[in-house]
Coordinates of all heavy atoms in Angstrom, one line a residue:
Y1 N -31.2 24.8 1.6 CA -30.4 23.7 1.0 C -29.7 23.1 2.2 O -29.1 23.7 3.1 CB -29.4 24.3 0.0 CG -28.5 23.2 -0.6 CD1 -29.0 22.4 -1.6 CD2 -27.3 23.0 -0.1 CE1 -28.2 21.4 -2.1 CE2 -26.4 22.1 -0.6 CZ -26.9 21.3 -1.7 OH -26.1 20.3 -2.2
I2 N -29.7 21.7 2.2 CA -29.0 21.0 3.2 C -28.3 19.8 2.5 O -28.8 19.2 1.6 CB -30.0 20.4 4.3 CG1 -29.2 19.7 5.4 CG2 -31.1 19.5 3.8 CD1 -30.1 19.4 6.6
F3 N -27.1 19.5 2.9 CA -26.4 18.4 2.3 C -27.1 17.1 2.6 O -27.6 16.8 3.7 CB -24.9 18.3 2.8 CG -24.1 19.4 2.4 CD1 -23.7 20.4 3.2 CD2 -23.6 19.5 1.1 CE1 -22.9 21.5 2.8 CE2 -22.8 20.5 0.6 CZ -22.4 21.5 1.5
E4 N -27.0 16.2 1.6 CA -27.7 14.9 1.8 C -27.2 14.1 2.9 O -28.0 13.5 3.7 CB -27.5 14.0 0.5 CG -28.2 12.7 0.6 CD -28.0 11.8 -0.7 OE1 -27.3 12.3 -1.6 OE2 -28.6 10.8 -0.7
H5 N -25.9 14.0 3.2 CA -25.4 13.2 4.3 C -25.9 13.8 5.6 O -26.1 13.0 6.5 CB -23.9 13.2 4.2 CG -23.1 14.4 4.2 ND1 -22.9 15.1 3.0 CD2 -22.6 15.2 5.2 CE1 -22.3 16.2 3.3 NE2 -22.0 16.3 4.6
R6 N -26.0 15.0 5.7 CA -26.5 15.7 7.0 C -28.0 15.3 7.2 O -28.4 14.9 8.2 CB -26.3 17.1 7.0 CG -26.7 17.8 8.2 CD -26.5 19.3 8.2 NE -27.0 19.9 9.4 CZ -26.4 20.8 10.1 NH1 -25.2 21.2 9.8 NH2 -26.9 21.3 11.2
L7 N -28.7 15.4 6.1 CA -30.2 15.1 6.2 C -30.4 13.6 6.5 O -31.2 13.3 7.4 CB -30.9 15.4 4.8 CG -32.3 15.0 4.7 CD1 -33.1 15.9 5.7 CD2 -32.8 15.2 3.3
V8 N -29.6 12.7 5.9 CA -29.8 11.3 6.2 C -29.4 11.0 7.7 O -30.1 10.3 8.4 CB -28.8 10.5 5.3 CG1 -28.7 9.0 5.8 CG2 -29.3 10.5 3.9
W9 N -28.3 11.6 8.2 CA -27.9 11.4 9.6 C -29.0 11.9 10.5 O -29.4 11.3 11.5 CB -26.6 12.1 9.9 CG -26.1 11.8 11.2 CD1 -25.3 10.8 11.6 CD2 -26.4 12.5 12.5 NE1 -25.0 10.9 13.0 CE2 -25.7 11.9 13.5 CE3 -27.2 13.6 12.8 CZ2 -25.8 12.3 14.8 CZ3 -27.4 14.0 14.1 CH2 -26.7 13.4 15.1
E10 N -29.5 13.2 10.3 CA -30.5 13.7 11.1 C -31.8 12.9 11.1 O -32.4 12.7 12.2 CB -30.8 15.2 10.7 CG -29.6 16.1 11.0 CD -29.8 17.5 10.7 OE1 -30.8 17.8 9.9 OE2 -29.1 18.4 11.1
Q11 N -32.2 12.4 10.0 CA -33.5 11.6 9.9 C -33.2 10.3 10.7 O -34.1 9.8 11.4 CB -33.8 11.3 8.5 CG -34.4 12.6 7.8 CD -34.8 12.3 6.4 OE1 -34.3 11.4 5.7 NE2 -35.6 13.2 5.8
A12 N -32.0 9.7 10.5 CA -31.8 8.4 11.2 C -31.7 8.6 12.7 O -32.1 7.6 13.4 CB -30.5 7.8 10.7
H13 N -31.2 9.7 13.2 CA -31.1 9.9 14.6 C -32.2 10.7 15.3 O -32.3 10.9 16.5 CB -29.8 10.6 14.9 CG -28.6 9.7 14.7 ND1 -28.0 9.6 13.4 CD2 -28.0 8.8 15.5 CE1 -27.1 8.7 13.5 NE2 -27.0 8.2 14.8
G14 N -33.1 11.2 14.5 CA -34.3 12.0 14.9 C -34.0 13.3 15.6 O -34.7 13.7 16.5
K15 N -32.9 13.9 15.2 CA -32.5 15.1 15.9 C -31.5 15.9 14.9 O -31.0 15.3 14.0 CB -31.8 14.9 17.2 CG -30.5 14.1 17.2 CD -29.8 14.0 18.5 CE -28.6 13.2 18.4 NZ -27.9 13.0 19.8
T16 N -31.4 17.2 15.2 CA -30.5 18.0 14.3 C -29.0 17.8 14.8 O -28.7 17.4 15.9 CB -30.8 19.5 14.4 OG1 -30.7 19.9 15.7 CG2 -32.2 19.8 13.9
L17 N -28.2 18.0 13.9 CA -26.7 17.8 14.1 C -26.3 18.9 15.1 O -26.6 20.1 14.9 CB -26.0 18.0 12.8 CG -24.4 17.7 12.9 CD1 -24.2 16.2 13.1 CD2 -23.8 18.0 11.5
P18 N -25.6 18.5 16.2 CA -25.2 19.5 17.2 C -24.3 20.6 16.6 O -23.6 20.3 15.7 CB -24.5 18.7 18.2 CG -25.0 17.3 18.1 CD -25.3 17.2 16.6
K19 N -24.4 21.8 17.1 CA -23.6 22.9 16.7 C -22.1 22.5 16.8 O -21.7 21.9 17.9 CB -23.9 24.1 17.4 CG -23.2 25.3 17.0 CD -23.6 26.6 17.7 CE -22.8 27.7 17.2 NZ -23.5 28.9 17.0
G20 N -21.3 22.8 15.8 CA -19.9 22.5 15.9 C -19.5 21.1 15.5 O -18.3 20.7 15.5
Y21 N -20.5 20.3 15.0 CA -20.2 19.0 14.6 C -20.4 18.8 13.1 O -21.1 19.6 12.4 CB -21.3 18.0 15.2 CG -20.9 17.5 16.6 CD1 -20.8 18.4 17.6 CD2 -20.6 16.2 16.8 CE1 -20.4 18.0 18.9 CE2 -20.2 15.8 18.1 CZ -20.1 16.7 19.1 OH -19.7 16.2 20.4
I22 N -19.7 17.9 12.5 CA -19.8 17.7 11.1 C -20.0 16.1 10.9 O -19.9 15.3 11.8 CB -18.5 18.1 10.3 CG1 -17.3 17.2 10.9 CG2 -18.3 19.5 10.4 CD1 -16.0 17.5 10.1
I23 N -20.4 15.8 9.7 CA -20.6 14.3 9.4 C -19.4 13.8 8.6 O -18.9 14.4 7.7 CB -21.8 14.2 8.4 CG1 -23.1 14.7 9.1 CG2 -22.0 12.7 8.0 CD1 -23.5 14.0 10.4
H24 N -18.9 12.7 9.2 CA -17.8 12.0 8.6 C -18.3 10.7 7.9 O -19.0 10.0 8.4 CB -16.7 11.7 9.7 CG -15.6 10.8 9.3 ND1 -14.6 11.3 8.4 CD2 -15.3 9.5 9.5 CE1 -13.8 10.3 8.2 NE2 -14.1 9.2 8.8
H25 N -17.7 10.5 6.7 CA -18.0 9.3 6.0 C -17.0 8.2 6.4 O -15.8 8.4 6.1 CB -18.0 9.5 4.5 CG -19.1 10.4 4.0 ND1 -19.0 11.8 4.0 CD2 -20.3 10.1 3.4 CE1 -20.1 12.2 3.5 NE2 -20.9 11.3 3.1
L26 N -17.4 7.2 7.0 CA -16.5 6.2 7.6 C -15.6 5.5 6.6 O -14.5 5.2 6.9 CB -17.3 5.2 8.4 CG -18.0 5.7 9.6 CD1 -18.9 4.7 10.2 CD2 -17.0 6.2 10.7
N27 N -16.2 5.2 5.4 CA -15.4 4.5 4.4 C -14.6 5.4 3.5 O -14.0 5.0 2.6 CB -16.3 3.5 3.6 CG -17.3 4.2 2.8 OD1 -17.4 5.5 2.7 ND2 -18.2 3.4 2.1
G28 N -14.7 6.7 3.7 CA -14.0 7.7 3.0 C -14.7 8.1 1.6 O -14.2 8.9 0.9
I29 N -15.8 7.4 1.3 CA -16.5 7.7 0.0 C -17.5 8.7 0.3 O -18.5 8.5 0.9 CB -17.0 6.4 -0.6 CG1 -16.0 5.4 -0.8 CG2 -17.8 6.7 -1.9 CD1 -16.4 4.0 -1.2
R30 N -17.3 10.0 -0.2 CA -18.1 11.1 0.2 C -19.5 11.1 -0.4 O -20.4 11.8 0.1 CB -17.4 12.4 -0.2 CG -16.1 12.5 0.6 CD -15.4 13.8 0.3 NE -16.2 14.9 1.0 CZ -15.9 16.2 0.8 NH1 -15.0 16.5 0.0 NH2 -16.6 17.1 1.4
D31 N -19.8 10.2 -1.4 CA -21.2 10.2 -1.9 C -21.9 9.0 -1.4 O -23.0 8.6 -1.8 CB -21.2 10.4 -3.4 CG -20.5 9.2 -4.1 OD1 -19.8 8.4 -3.5 OD2 -20.7 9.2 -5.4
D32 N -21.3 8.2 -0.5 CA -21.9 7.0 0.1 C -22.6 7.5 1.4 O -22.1 7.5 2.5 CB -20.9 6.0 0.5 CG -21.5 4.7 1.0 OD1 -22.8 4.7 1.3 OD2 -20.7 3.7 1.3
N33 N -23.9 7.9 1.2 CA -24.6 8.5 2.3 C -25.6 7.5 3.0 O -26.6 8.0 3.6 CB -25.4 9.7 1.8 CG -24.5 10.8 1.4 OD1 -23.4 11.1 2.1 ND2 -24.7 11.4 0.2
R34 N -25.2 6.3 3.1 CA -26.0 5.3 3.9 C -25.8 5.7 5.3 O -24.6 6.1 5.7 CB -25.5 3.9 3.6 CG -25.8 3.4 2.2 CD -25.1 2.0 2.0 NE -23.7 2.1 2.0 CZ -22.9 1.4 2.9 NH1 -23.4 0.5 3.6 NH2 -21.6 1.6 2.8
F35 N -26.8 5.6 6.1 CA -26.8 6.1 7.5 C -25.7 5.3 8.3 O -25.0 5.9 9.2 CB -28.1 6.1 8.2 CG -28.6 4.7 8.6 CD1 -28.3 4.2 9.8 CD2 -29.3 3.9 7.7 CE1 -28.7 3.0 10.2 CE2 -29.8 2.7 8.1 CZ -29.4 2.2 9.4
E36 N -25.4 4.1 8.0 CA -24.4 3.3 8.7 C -23.0 3.7 8.3 O -22.1 3.4 9.0 CB -24.6 1.8 8.5 CG -24.5 1.3 7.1 CD -25.8 1.3 6.3 OE1 -26.8 1.9 6.8 OE2 -25.8 0.7 5.2
N37 N -22.9 4.5 7.3 CA -21.6 5.0 6.9 C -21.3 6.4 7.4 O -20.2 7.0 7.2 CB -21.4 5.0 5.4 CG -20.1 5.4 4.9 OD1 -19.1 4.9 5.4 ND2 -20.0 6.3 3.9
L38 N -22.2 7.0 8.2 CA -22.1 8.4 8.6 C -21.9 8.5 10.2 O -22.6 7.8 10.9 CB -23.4 9.2 8.3 CG -23.7 9.1 6.8 CD1 -25.1 9.9 6.5 CD2 -22.7 9.7 5.9
L39 N -20.9 9.3 10.5 CA -20.6 9.5 12.0 C -20.6 11.0 12.2 O -19.9 11.8 11.5 CB -19.3 8.9 12.2 CG -18.7 9.1 13.6 CD1 -19.5 8.3 14.7 CD2 -17.2 8.7 13.7
A40 N -21.3 11.4 13.2 CA -21.2 12.8 13.7 C -20.0 13.0 14.6 O -19.8 12.1 15.5 CB -22.5 13.2 14.4
T41 N -19.2 13.9 14.3 CA -18.0 14.2 15.1 C -17.7 15.7 15.2 O -18.1 16.4 14.3 CB -16.8 13.4 14.5 OG1 -15.7 13.6 15.4 CG2 -16.4 13.9 13.1
S42 N -17.0 16.1 16.2 CA -16.7 17.5 16.3 C -15.6 17.8 15.2 O -14.9 17.0 14.8 CB -16.1 17.9 17.6 OG -14.8 17.3 17.8
R43 N -15.6 19.0 14.8 CA -14.7 19.5 13.7 C -13.3 19.3 14.2 O -12.4 18.8 13.4 CB -15.0 20.9 13.3 CG -14.1 21.4 12.1 CD -14.5 22.8 11.7 NE -15.8 22.8 11.2 CZ -16.3 22.4 10.0 NH1 -15.4 21.9 9.1 NH2 -17.5 22.5 9.6
K44 N -13.0 19.6 15.4 CA -11.7 19.5 16.0 C -11.2 18.1 16.0 O -10.1 17.7 15.6 CB -11.6 20.1 17.4 CG -10.2 20.1 18.0 CD -10.3 20.7 19.4 CE -8.9 20.8 20.0 NZ -8.9 21.5 21.3
H45 N -12.1 17.1 16.5 CA -11.7 15.7 16.5 C -11.5 15.2 15.1 O -10.6 14.4 14.9 CB -12.8 14.9 17.2 CG -12.5 13.5 17.4 ND1 -13.0 12.5 16.5 CD2 -11.7 12.8 18.2 CE1 -12.5 11.3 16.9 NE2 -11.7 11.5 17.9
H46 N -12.4 15.6 14.1 CA -12.2 15.1 12.8 C -10.9 15.5 12.1 O -10.2 14.8 11.5 CB -13.4 15.6 11.9 CG -13.4 15.2 10.5 ND1 -12.9 15.9 9.5 CD2 -13.8 14.0 10.0 CE1 -13.0 15.2 8.4 NE2 -13.6 14.1 8.6
E47 N -10.6 16.8 12.3 CA -9.3 17.3 11.8 C -8.1 16.6 12.4 O -7.2 16.2 11.7 CB -9.2 18.8 12.0 CG -10.2 19.6 11.2 CD -10.2 21.1 11.6 OE1 -9.5 21.5 12.5 OE2 -11.0 21.8 11.0
K48 N -8.2 16.3 13.7 CA -7.0 15.6 14.3 C -6.9 14.2 13.7 O -5.8 13.7 13.4 CB -7.3 15.5 15.8 CG -6.2 14.8 16.6 CD -6.5 14.8 18.1 CE -5.4 14.1 18.8 NZ -5.7 14.0 20.3
Q49 N -8.1 13.5 13.6 CA -8.0 12.1 13.1 C -7.6 12.1 11.6 O -6.8 11.1 11.2 CB -9.4 11.5 13.2 CG -9.8 11.2 14.6 CD -8.8 10.3 15.4 OE1 -8.3 9.3 14.8 NE2 -8.5 10.6 16.6
T50 N -8.0 13.1 10.8 CA -7.6 13.1 9.4 C -6.1 13.3 9.3 O -5.5 12.7 8.5 CB -8.4 14.3 8.7 OG1 -9.8 14.0 8.8 CG2 -8.0 14.4 7.3
Y51 N -5.6 14.2 10.2 CA -4.1 14.4 10.2 C -3.4 13.2 10.5 O -2.4 12.8 9.9 CB -3.8 15.6 11.1 CG -2.3 15.9 11.2 CD1 -1.7 16.5 10.1 CD2 -1.6 15.7 12.3 CE1 -0.4 16.9 10.1 CE2 -0.2 16.0 12.4 CZ 0.4 16.6 11.2 OH 1.7 16.9 11.3
I52 N -3.8 12.5 11.5 CA -3.2 11.3 12.0 C -3.2 10.2 10.9 O -2.2 9.6 10.6 CB -3.8 10.7 13.3 CG1 -3.5 11.6 14.5 CG2 -3.4 9.3 13.6 CD1 -4.3 11.4 15.8
K53 N -4.3 10.0 10.2 CA -4.5 9.0 9.2 C -3.5 9.4 8.0 O -3.0 8.5 7.4 CB -5.9 9.0 8.7 CG -6.8 8.2 9.7 CD -8.2 8.1 9.2 CE -9.0 7.4 10.2 NZ -10.4 7.3 9.8
T54 N -3.4 10.6 7.7 CA -2.4 11.1 6.7 C -1.0 10.7 7.0 O -0.3 10.2 6.2 CB -2.6 12.6 6.4 OG1 -3.9 12.9 6.1 CG2 -1.7 13.1 5.3
L55 N -0.7 11.0 8.3 CA 0.7 10.6 8.7 C 0.9 9.1 8.6 O 2.0 8.6 8.2 CB 1.0 11.1 10.1 CG 1.1 12.7 10.2 CD1 1.3 13.0 11.7 CD2 2.3 13.2 9.4
Q56 N -0.1 8.3 9.1 CA 0.0 6.9 9.1 C 0.2 6.3 7.7 O 1.0 5.4 7.4 CB -1.2 6.3 9.8 CG -1.2 6.5 11.3 CD -2.5 6.1 11.9 OE1 -3.5 6.0 11.3 NE2 -2.5 5.8 13.2
A57 N -0.6 6.9 6.7 CA -0.5 6.5 5.3 C 0.9 6.8 4.8 O 1.5 5.9 4.0 CB -1.5 7.2 4.5
R58 N 1.5 7.9 5.1 CA 2.8 8.3 4.6 C 3.9 7.3 5.2 O 4.8 6.9 4.6 CB 3.2 9.7 5.0 CG 4.5 10.2 4.6 CD 4.6 10.2 3.0 NE 5.9 10.6 2.6 CZ 6.6 10.1 1.6 NH1 6.1 9.2 0.9 NH2 7.8 10.6 1.3
I59 N 3.7 7.0 6.5 CA 4.7 6.0 7.1 C 4.6 4.7 6.4 O 5.6 4.0 6.1 CB 4.3 5.9 8.6 CG1 4.7 7.2 9.4 CG2 5.0 4.6 9.3 CD1 4.2 7.2 10.8
R60 N 3.4 4.2 6.1 CA 3.3 3.0 5.3 C 3.9 3.0 4.0 O 4.6 2.1 3.6 CB 1.8 2.6 5.2 CG 1.1 2.0 6.5 CD -0.2 1.4 6.2 NE -1.2 2.3 5.8 CZ -1.9 3.2 6.6 NH1 -1.8 3.1 7.9 NH2 -2.8 4.0 6.1
Q61 N 3.8 4.2 3.3 CA 4.5 4.3 2.0 C 6.0 4.2 2.2 O 6.6 3.5 1.4 CB 4.1 5.7 1.4 CG 2.7 5.8 0.9 CD 2.4 7.3 0.5 OE1 3.1 8.2 0.8 NE2 1.4 7.4 -0.4
L62 N 6.5 4.9 3.2 CA 8.0 4.8 3.4 C 8.4 3.4 3.8 O 9.5 3.0 3.4 CB 8.4 5.8 4.5 CG 8.2 7.3 4.1 CD1 8.4 8.2 5.3 CD2 9.1 7.7 2.9
E63 N 7.6 2.8 4.6 CA 8.0 1.4 5.0 C 8.0 0.4 3.8 O 8.9 -0.4 3.7 CB 7.0 0.9 6.0 CG 7.2 1.5 7.4 CD 6.2 1.1 8.4 OE1 5.1 0.6 8.0 OE2 6.4 1.3 9.6
Q64 N 7.1 0.7 2.8 CA 7.1 -0.2 1.6 C 8.3 0.1 0.8 O 8.8 -0.8 0.1 CB 5.8 0.1 0.8 CG 4.6 -0.5 1.5 CD 3.4 -0.2 0.8 OE1 3.4 0.6 -0.2 NE2 2.3 -0.7 1.2
L65 N 8.9 1.3 0.8 CA 10.0 1.6 0.0 C 11.3 1.1 0.8 O 12.4 1.2 0.2 CB 10.2 3.1 -0.2 CG 9.0 3.7 -1.1 CD1 9.1 5.2 -1.0 CD2 9.1 3.2 -2.5
H66 N 11.2 0.7 2.0 CA 12.3 0.3 2.9 C 13.4 1.4 3.0 O 14.6 1.2 3.1 CB 13.0 -0.9 2.3 CG 12.1 -2.1 2.1 ND1 11.6 -2.8 3.3 CD2 11.6 -2.7 1.1 CE1 10.8 -3.7 2.8 NE2 10.7 -3.7 1.5
L67 N 12.9 2.6 3.1 CA 13.7 3.8 3.3 C 13.8 4.0 4.9 O 12.8 3.9 5.6 CB 13.2 5.1 2.7 CG 13.1 5.0 1.2 CD1 12.4 6.3 0.7 CD2 14.5 4.9 0.5
P68 N 15.0 4.4 5.3 CA 15.1 4.7 6.8 C 14.3 6.0 7.1 O 14.2 6.9 6.3 CB 16.6 5.0 6.9 CG 17.2 5.2 5.6 CD 16.3 4.6 4.6
L69 N 13.6 6.0 8.2 CA 12.9 7.2 8.6 C 13.7 8.3 9.1 O 14.8 8.3 9.6 CB 11.9 6.8 9.7 CG 10.8 5.8 9.2 CD1 9.9 5.5 10.3 CD2 10.0 6.4 8.0

């Protein structure tokens, strides 16, 4: 068994996904497996970027409420 997004990425790039890498859906929609929506990234980099985006979203929420940080 192989995940569809991984299969699509591997077929589009003609190689297997490098060890330690995962597939990230650029638009955040996990069932949108078009090859142009898929990015191979290291797990460490992905986790860091996800954490940063979470913090940025929270900052935007607070700014909309006009609350002091």
Side-chain angles (χ1 to χ4, degrees):
Y1 180 80
I2 186 170
F3 289 110
E4 181 183 2
H5 56 275
R6 183 179 176 134
L7 178 64
V8 170
W9 187 91
E10 288 180 347
Q11 287 178 342
H13 290 87
K15 61 182 180 180
T16 59
L17 188 65
K19 185 175 177 138
Y21 276 65
I22 60 171
I23 300 298
H24 173 70
H25 292 82
L26 295 170
N27 66 5
I29 302 171
R30 297 184 72 187
D31 62 351
D32 181 356
N33 292 319
R34 295 172 294 128
F35 75 91
E36 61 269 14
N37 186 45
L38 304 176
L39 173 71
T41 184
S42 70
R43 182 172 302 279
K44 183 176 182 178
H45 183 260
H46 182 262
E47 289 171 359
K48 181 179 178 182
Q49 291 302 318
T50 302
Y51 181 69
I52 289 170
K53 286 180 182 180
T54 301
L55 291 176
Q56 289 171 337
R58 181 63 178 142
I59 289 169
R60 283 191 297 276
Q61 288 174 340
L62 293 173
E63 287 174 341
Q64 288 175 353
L65 294 172
H66 301 291
L67 296 175
L69 296 178

